[in-house]
């Protein structure tokens, strides 16, 4: 009975942790519209507000590892919950722009610490044959959280100061997670009586003194310094290579940017304006949820390596296909930022076919969901604009353009339709019609990419990271890789415009395809299979291999 209770509570903690993460990333897109009107935000201020989460998360991934290793996983999650409650209260009661930024940074810090601690805690808490399922539950929580945030953006879109409710509602799942974890043991030592498999996953403890010491000072049997991550001791360098390789390839296969084009691709297939955005967000969101559930079911059966490699192959094929089809049927790109100035200035949408000839400022990878880039801005500013996308695609979570945003975007009702027609793609409607088949191929490739990511890199990266390091340094190692994940994401989103400018849209996607192929080779050569093994066995497997 106790074993089942611990299993259910571990699952709840994992799912709620993911749900909060996804919710906080998705909610800003709807809130931003109202905030911009209520606080008269300029485009730059919208940008700062959106990227505040990223700054908080980066800080957390630098400091969080020490917290997780020194004070234990459970305490780290409890602390992150308290910080998140504080951040949500600050946002709910905010009366000034600066307070909003501080609130978002606090929230970013909390969800980053929580994301690391949850994966590690759950992986240590459950038996080897259930670990894949329960750690992947975190990723499933994220996809559900993003969908939930869109639903609430819709509900509160017309409510006066609805953004307060949007930010405030994060308090409910946070409080639930806090309560769930209070009933869980501090560290797995106390559970060893009911699960020999779990016991194998721990450092063997001979007598009662050792056991008592372990309760006070969990996981410190072997002491590691941070620099041991780069030394040959216990094959630590190889583990660090595996961890960094996974997080970097997760980003360099194009995940942060591919989704920025989702609504454009839906549009080109013929789904117009509002329905396009609804389909893009809800449709892709639903596909992600289903794919993540498939990954959860297969993680402990097929294994991590198989899912990573299969996902990678499909991703490489689909981005290559998008690259090839966009050579023949170029996508029209939209840029949009509303600086609060009045109904007429509310919607400046320009469309261009995407070619390398364009000045950077005309092209943006930012999806409408988080678009906050000044159309008139110079190249440097345009690059910073993609920060808006960064925040939502980090840690393997992507932005899906938000329906309520597009619906609410015009103050002048039909303005959008008019603007689209007047500035329409220079290719003309006939050219679009000719490429219907290609557009559908692009759309299907996009769906395949999203599914493959959600089966492979999405959940598996974090699962493998929570397994491959020795307990004594697991928190710091996870945080170290995590900080590279945020940094790579930032780099990609910032350099995206320059790269498109230099080599063109289709070449960019073909480059992502090439990275996918390299990633498959990397996984084949370096990433070990960890399914069904206790954490101690995985540790020994690494220590033996040179």
């Amino acid at each position: 009975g106790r074993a089942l209770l611990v299993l259910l509570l571990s699952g709840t903690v994992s799912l709620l942790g993911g749900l909060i993460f996804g919710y906080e990333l998705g909610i800003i897109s709807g809130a931003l519209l109202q905030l911009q009107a209520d606080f008269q935000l300029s485009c730059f201020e919208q940008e700062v507000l959106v990227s505040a989460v990223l700054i908080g998360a980066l800080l957390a991934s630098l400091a969080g590892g020490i917290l997780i290793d020194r004070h234990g996983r459970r305490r780290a999650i409890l602390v992150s919950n308290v910080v998140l409650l504080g951040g949500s209260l600050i946002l709910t009661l905010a009366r000034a722009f600066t307070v909003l930024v501080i609130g978002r940074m606090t929230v970013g810090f909390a969800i980053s610490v929580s994301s690391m601690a949850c994966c590690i805690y759950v992986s240590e808490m459950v038996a080897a044959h259930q670990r894949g399922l329960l750690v992947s539950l975190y990723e499933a929580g994220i996809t559900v959280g993003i969908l939930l945030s869109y639903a609430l953006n819709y509900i509160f879109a017309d409510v006066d100061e609805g953004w307060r409710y949007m930010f405030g509602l994060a308090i409910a799942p946070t409080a639930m997670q806090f309560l769930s974890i209070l009933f869980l043991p501090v560290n797995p030592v106390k559970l060893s009586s009911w699960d020999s498999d779990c016991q194998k996953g721990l450092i063997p403890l001979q007598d009662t003194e050792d056991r008592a010491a372990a309760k006070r000072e969990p996981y410190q049997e072997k002491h590691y310094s941070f620099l041991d991550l780069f030394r040959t001791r216990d094959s630590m360098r190889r583990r660090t290579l595996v961890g960094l390789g996974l997080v970097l390839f997760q980003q360099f296969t194009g995940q942060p940017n591919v989704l920025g084009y989702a609504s454009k691709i839906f549009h080109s297939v013929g789904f117009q304006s509002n329905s396009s955005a609804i389909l893009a967000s809800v449709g892709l969101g639903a596909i992600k949820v289903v794919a993540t559930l498939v990954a959860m079911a297969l993680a402990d059966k097929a294994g991590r390596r198989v899912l990573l490699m299969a996902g990678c192959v499909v991703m490489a094929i689909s981005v290559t296909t998008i690259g090839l089809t966009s050579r023949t049927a170029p996508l029209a790109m939209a840029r949009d930022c509303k600086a609060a100035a009045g109904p007429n200035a509310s919607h400046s949408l320009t469309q261009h076919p995407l070619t390398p000839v364009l000045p950077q400022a005309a092209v943006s990878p930012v999806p409408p969901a988080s678009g906050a880039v000044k159309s008139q801005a110079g190249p440097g500013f345009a690059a910073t604009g993609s920060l808006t996308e960064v925040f939502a695609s980090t840690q393997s979570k992507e932005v899906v353009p938000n329906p309520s945003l597009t619906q609410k975007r015009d103050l002048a009702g039909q303005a959008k339709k008019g603007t689209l027609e007047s500035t329409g793609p220079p290719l003309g409607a006939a050219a679009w019609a000719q490429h219907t088949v290609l557009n559908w191929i692009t759309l299907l490739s996009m769906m395949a990419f999203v599914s493959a990511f959600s089966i492979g890199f999405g959940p598996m990266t974090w699962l493998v990271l929570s397994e491959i390091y020795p307990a004594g340094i697991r928190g710091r190692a996870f945080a170290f890789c995590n900080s590279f994940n945020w940094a790579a994401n930032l780099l990609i989103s910032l350099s995206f415009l320059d790269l498109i400018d230099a080599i063109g849209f289709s070449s960019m996607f073909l480059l992502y395809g090439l990275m996918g192929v390299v990633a498959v080779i990397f996984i084949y050569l370096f990433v070990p299979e960890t399914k069904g093994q206790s954490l101690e066995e995985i540790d020994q497997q690494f220590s033996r291999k040179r």
Side-chain angles (χ1 to χ4, degrees):
R2 178 145 182 245
L4 184 67
L5 181 70
V6 168
L7 194 69
L8 284 172
L9 283 174
S10 299
T12 309
V13 166
S14 188
L15 185 69
L16 285 171
L19 185 93
I20 296 162
F21 196 109
Y23 182 81
E24 289 292 1
L25 292 184
I27 202 70
I28 187 72
S29 50
L32 201 60
L33 276 172
Q34 299 188 347
L35 288 168
Q36 168 238 322
D38 289 356
F39 289 87
Q40 300 296 306
L41 300 183
S42 68
C43 289
F44 177 69
E45 285 171 331
Q46 291 178 51
E47 241 306 274
V48 170
L49 189 58
V50 165
S51 46
V53 170
L54 175 72
I55 298 159
L58 255 175
L59 288 173
S61 57
L62 298 173
I66 301 163
L67 172 71
I68 294 167
D69 279 341
R70 294 267 162 81
H71 302 285
R73 290 70 163 126
R74 182 173 178 266
R75 198 170 291 166
I77 300 175
L78 289 171
V79 168
S80 77
N81 285 158
V82 173
V83 173
L84 189 61
L85 287 170
S88 301
L89 280 172
I90 291 172
L91 286 168
T92 311
L93 306 171
R95 292 254 171 254
F97 172 68
T98 327
V99 181
L100 284 170
V101 173
I102 293 168
R104 287 300 283 174
M105 276 178 72
T106 312
V107 163
F109 186 91
I111 59 176
S112 182
V113 171
S114 163
S115 71
M116 298 184 287
C118 278
C119 291
I120 294 173
Y121 183 73
V122 172
S123 76
E124 290 172 344
M125 196 51 81
V126 297
H129 63 276
Q130 296 158 331
R131 201 171 50 234
L133 173 75
L134 285 167
V135 178
S136 306
L137 203 58
Y138 185 86
E139 185 75 17
I142 287 163
T143 51
V144 173
I146 290 175
L147 276 178
L148 178 70
S149 71
Y150 288 158
L152 290 172
N153 280 346
Y154 253 154
I155 294 168
F156 293 114
D158 296 315
V159 178
D160 191 37
E161 294 204 331
W163 56 270
R164 294 191 191 276
Y165 301 104
M166 294 179 197
F167 289 138
L169 280 168
I171 291 172
T174 310
M176 281 165 68
Q177 191 188 30
F178 187 88
L179 293 173
S180 306
I181 207 158
L182 287 178
F183 293 103
L184 278 168
V186 176
N187 55 311
V189 173
K190 295 180 183 176
L191 310 183
S192 54
S193 54
W194 60 261
D195 190 353
S196 61
D197 205 338
C198 196
Q199 200 170 5
K200 276 196 305 189
L202 306 168
I203 299 105
L205 301 168
Q206 280 72 37
D207 57 4
T208 46
E209 268 180 53
D210 277 358
R211 198 157 285 224
K215 282 178 188 175
R216 285 196 306 275
E217 191 57 54
Y219 314 120
Q220 293 300 319
E221 187 81 2
K222 265 190 181 177
H223 288 280
Y224 290 95
S225 74
F226 179 72
L227 291 174
D228 284 333
L229 283 175
F230 313 101
R231 295 183 180 137
T232 48
R233 173 191 175 188
D234 291 342
S235 286
M236 287 304 285
R237 195 183 292 166
R238 179 167 173 257
R239 301 180 205 222
T240 305
L241 175 76
V242 170
L244 284 182
L246 285 175
V247 294
L248 292 175
F249 278 120
Q250 186 191 55
Q251 299 298 331
F252 288 138
T253 42
Q255 177 268 124
N257 292 319
V258 170
L259 273 126
Y261 293 101
S263 63
K264 268 275 124 312
I265 290 172
F266 274 85
H267 214 99
S268 66
V269 179
F271 296 111
Q272 291 312 309
S273 58
N274 289 352
S275 60
S276 153
I278 294 165
L279 277 163
S281 54
V282 179
L284 287 177
I287 291 170
K288 274 179 69 58
V289 173
V290 172
T292 310
L293 293 174
V294 171
M296 279 168 54
L298 295 177
D300 292 311
K301 294 188 178 71
R304 287 66 155 150
R305 253 172 80 89
V306 175
L307 290 181
L308 277 167
M309 285 166 68
C312 238
V313 168
V314 176
M315 281 165 71
I317 293 170
S318 49
V319 281
T320 306
T321 311
I322 294 174
L324 293 171
T325 52
S326 65
R327 287 197 161 214
T328 322
L331 289 174
M333 290 318 302
R335 131 153 358 271
D336 177 51
C337 168
K338 265 164 53 175
N344 300 333
S346 74
H347 196 88
S348 58
L349 180 74
T350 49
Q351 281 206 332
H352 300 278
L354 198 55
T355 53
V357 196
L358 280 178
Q360 285 168 309
V363 187
S364 162
V366 184
S370 49
V373 189
K374 209 174 251 175
S375 344
Q376 308 82 351
F381 195 100
T384 343
S386 40
L387 268 174
T388 34
E389 188 194 34
V390 176
F391 90 100
S393 50
T394 39
Q395 267 230 319
S396 77
K397 335 314 182 208
E398 307 81 46
V399 167
V400 188
N402 183 345
S404 64
L405 192 66
T406 322
Q407 262 207 345
K408 299 283 297 163
R409 190 159 257 164
D410 327 300
L411 303 173
Q414 289 302 305
K416 175 158 197 159
K417 205 171 174 191
T419 327
L420 276 172
E421 282 162 8
S422 58
T423 56
L427 291 165
W432 284 102
Q434 283 169 14
H435 299 309
T436 311
V437 177
L438 286 178
N439 289 337
W440 276 101
I441 292 172
T442 310
L443 175 67
L444 292 172
S445 303
M446 168 74 81
M447 290 174 161
F449 182 89
V450 171
S451 316
F453 185 87
S454 300
I455 285 175
F457 269 136
M460 294 306 132
T461 302
W462 309 109
L463 176 56
V464 172
L465 275 183
S466 64
E467 295 174 329
I468 61 176
Y469 295 103
I473 196 172
R474 198 170 284 141
R476 281 163 293 168
F478 200 103
F480 174 70
C481 294
N482 195 15
S483 61
F484 269 82
N485 183 57
W486 293 92
N489 200 291
L490 180 59
L491 176 75
I492 287 175
S493 300
L494 289 180
S495 61
F496 190 67
L497 296 170
D498 297 319
L499 274 168
I500 279 196
D501 212 27
I503 62 175
F505 181 82
S506 57
S507 309
M508 186 77 215
F509 274 68
L510 293 173
L511 189 65
Y512 286 149
L514 183 66
M515 289 304 286
V517 175
V518 178
V520 174
I521 298 167
F522 171 83
I523 294 162
Y524 181 76
L525 293 177
F526 294 105
V527 181
E529 183 51 77
T530 54
K531 71 166 178 180
Q533 297 178 328
S534 70
L535 296 176
E536 191 188 38
E537 285 166 345
I538 295 168
D539 194 16
Q540 287 166 353
Q541 179 188 340
F542 264 105
S543 300
R544 280 196 306 271
K545 274 191 184 171
R546 294 298 298 168

